[in-house]
Amino acid sequence: MKTTHILLLCFFLTNFLQGQERFLTKQGYTSFFSSSPVEDIKADNNQVLSIIDTSTGAIAISILMKSFQFEKSLMQEHFNENYVESDTYPKAKFKGKIPNINGLSNSEETVTITGDLTIHGVTKNIKTQAKIIKTQDNISLKGSFPVNVADYNIEIPAVVINNIAKTIEVTFELDHKPYKK
Amino acid sequence: MSKKIKNIILAIILGITGIIIIVNIVYNKPHISVSEASPDITLVSQKLLNDFENNEFESNSKYLDKIIEVNGTISEINVSENKGIITLSDEGSMGGVICHLSPEEHTKIASLKKGQNIKIKGICTGYLMDVILVKCIIIN
């Protein structure tokens, strides 16, 4: 936990010296959707932190697991306590790269983002397509990708095995603004 | 049919209905109402932020999922669609406390000003660059 902070801080400090190259959002949106024959489960999170360094195309995303809001409080409880164990693993993280970020036009383009996604303490390399619009004062990223629950050592008890999909669809919408301090 | 069997059948039906009702109540258990609940912890926004900056691990176990009432200065007001976000931070501080307001608080945002002192109650979900409170209610 501490090292990631120091890394994050270094990330900021080095960028301070280089000037206006970081784009950031503190209120990005992520949701996930599980569809099963028994029920559909959806949760929203509007507190996503995402930082893009436009000099390298690096992107770093942090998500608080407890920020996911479910329709039913029981689902939220089970999600936090039994599945993602958010007291032990409070955050999900993504560290990746947007290729050729400076060669983008001002209109919508599709990019393939690769990077490491950490959920429930397990890190996996993922690859996903996203729609990107980059202008002078905004970088918007939108897309979705499937997450295989078992890949992240998340155990679903047999009783509810039919209520929760094995593959969950994660959607993201991140509107980054230039970071000024 | 003997009376005994009738009684057994009746008992089984009552039992099943009871179970269904209980399962339903548990399944549909409502979310905590922040506006009605009294805060678990009351403090100034800067203290909350400092605690997380100094020891995030300890603060997580102390503050997460708790209803927290903070007192602080508004440094930013952000309104989009039906979301209202108020950031509390002291001058010169890097981070702050970001309060995501409940939808029913939306109408109150128009009367708020930067630099104003405010008391807000919400549920703490953690710390990224700032401390995050959700489902916030404005007290005054």
Side-chain angles (χ1 to χ4, degrees), chain B residues 28-61:
Chain B
N28 289 313
K29 190 178 77 168
H31 284 278
I32 288 180
S33 160
V34 177
S35 55
E36 285 164 25
S38 56
D40 299 312
I41 300 166
T42 304
L43 73 181
V44 292
S45 65
Q46 201 61 29
K47 163 90 171 103
L48 182 63
L49 178 67
N50 288 344
D51 280 1
F52 271 100
E53 280 174 345
N54 294 336
N55 191 339
E56 187 179 351
F57 184 75
E58 212 172 80
S59 299
N60 274 342
S61 49

Side-chain angles (χ1 to χ4, degrees), chain B residues 4 9-10 16 20 26 34 38 85 113 119 121 127 133:
Chain B
K4 206 175 171 188
I9 293 175
L10 195 71
I16 291 174
I20 291 175
V26 173
V34 177
S38 56
I85 303 163
K113 279 188 225 62
K119 216 182 245 178
K121 186 164 74 169
Y127 172 73
L133 300 182

Side-chain angles (χ1 to χ4, degrees), chain A residues 66-81:
Chain A
K66 285 195 193 276
S67 271
F68 280 103
Q69 302 295 321
F70 291 70
E71 188 203 338
K72 300 213 183 302
S73 72
L74 190 73
M75 289 175 182
Q76 199 163 322
E77 227 175 273
H78 287 171
F79 171 78
N80 282 305
E81 285 170 15

Side-chain angles (χ1 to χ4, degrees), chain B residues 78-91:
Chain B
N78 206 316
V79 191
S80 63
E81 296 162 59
N82 26 43
K83 289 173 221 155
I85 303 163
I86 292 174
T87 308
L88 306 178
S89 74
D90 284 5
E91 231 169 285

Side-chain angles (χ1 to χ4, degrees), chain A residues 1-2 5 8 12 16 24 26-27 39 46-49 51 62-64 66-67 69-77 86-87 90-91 179 181, chain B residues 26-32 52-57 60 64-65 78 83 85 93-95 98 100 124-130 132-135:
Chain A
M1 211 69 82
K2 265 258 139 58
H5 268 117
L8 210 68
F12 288 141
F16 268 136
L24 160 148
K26 291 177 179 180
Q27 53 237 26
E39 60 185 342
N46 283 301
Q47 286 88 36
V48 178
L49 172 68
I51 304 162
S62 292
I63 298 170
L64 291 171
K66 285 195 193 276
S67 271
Q69 302 295 321
F70 291 70
E71 188 203 338
K72 300 213 183 302
S73 72
L74 190 73
M75 289 175 182
Q76 199 163 322
E77 227 175 273
S86 55
D87 282 326
K91 288 174 195 175
Y179 186 62
K181 186 73 197 177
Chain B
V26 173
Y27 181 74
N28 289 313
K29 190 178 77 168
H31 284 278
I32 288 180
F52 271 100
E53 280 174 345
N54 294 336
N55 191 339
E56 187 179 351
F57 184 75
N60 274 342
L64 291 199
D65 286 332
N78 206 316
K83 289 173 221 155
I85 303 163
S93 167
M94 261 285 275
I98 299 183
H100 289 252
C124 185
T125 63
Y127 172 73
L128 293 169
M129 281 168 69
D130 311 82
I132 313 255
L133 300 182
V134 298
K135 299 186 170 178

Side-chain angles (χ1 to χ4, degrees), chain A residues 114-173:
Chain A
T114 48
D116 291 326
L117 177 66
T118 309
I119 305 173
H120 195 231
V122 181
T123 304
K124 294 266 167 195
N125 195 271
I126 64 159
K127 193 178 197 177
T128 178
Q129 295 223 313
K131 293 213 156 61
I132 186 166
I133 304 172
K134 179 173 179 278
T135 60
Q136 275 291 320
D137 50 8
N138 189 27
I139 298 176
S140 140
L141 268 182
K142 264 184 207 177
S144 69
F145 58 92
V147 166
N148 197 342
V149 179
D151 283 352
Y152 295 91
N153 290 348
I154 297 169
E155 282 172 35
I156 309 291
V159 199
V160 290
I161 201 101
N162 290 322
N163 297 51
I164 298 167
K166 293 192 172 50
T167 306
I168 284 172
E169 189 72 11
V170 176
T171 307
F172 57 91
E173 265 184 63

Side-chain angles (χ1 to χ4, degrees), chain B residues 107-125:
Chain B
T107 49
K108 294 190 193 165
I109 298 169
S111 62
L112 299 175
K113 279 188 225 62
K114 271 192 196 181
Q116 186 185 337
N117 213 55
I118 194 170
K119 216 182 245 178
I120 291 181
K121 186 164 74 169
I123 301 173
C124 185
T125 63

